[in-house]
Amino acid sequence: VGARGAWSLTSALEQHSSIESLSLMQIDIGHRGATNLATLLENNARLTSLNLLRCYVGAQGAATIAAALAIDNAAPRRSPSL
């Protein structure tokens, strides 16, 4: 899938803000895809469950996602699975 696929997914999810759970398990999005996903997470207060098991985001991608999840946007507590 890579960064381009993650960007497409992020764009689609922005239009469907009612999604509460997302599993991308075993989809190789890489660290660039993780950066695209982090942008969505910063602005999505509805998503409460995220599974990124074996998405190969690497240390940089994981740090970017963690930073996005740490942003206080009045969202419910999230439970990421990296």
Side-chain angles (χ1 to χ4, degrees):
V1 172
R4 184 177 219 169
W7 180 83
S8 296
L9 178 64
T10 300
S11 296
L13 290 172
E14 286 175 344
Q15 298 175 17
H16 299 283
S17 60
S18 63
I19 294 175
E20 296 178 4
S21 179
L22 179 63
S23 178
L24 301 175
M25 193 166 102
Q26 297 184 6
I27 297 176
D28 184 4
I29 64 171
H31 75 272
R32 289 187 181 146
T35 300
N36 293 332
L37 186 59
T39 300
L40 169 74
L41 296 173
E42 289 174 357
N43 301 305
N44 186 314
R46 188 83 174 189
L47 190 67
T48 57
S49 176
L50 176 63
N51 185 343
L52 297 174
L53 182 67
R54 295 189 181 132
C55 284
Y56 308 102
V57 298
Q60 181 181 357
T64 303
I65 289 173
L69 292 173
I71 293 175
D72 181 11
N73 61 0
R77 187 178 191 121
R78 298 183 177 114
S79 59
S81 175
L82 295 173

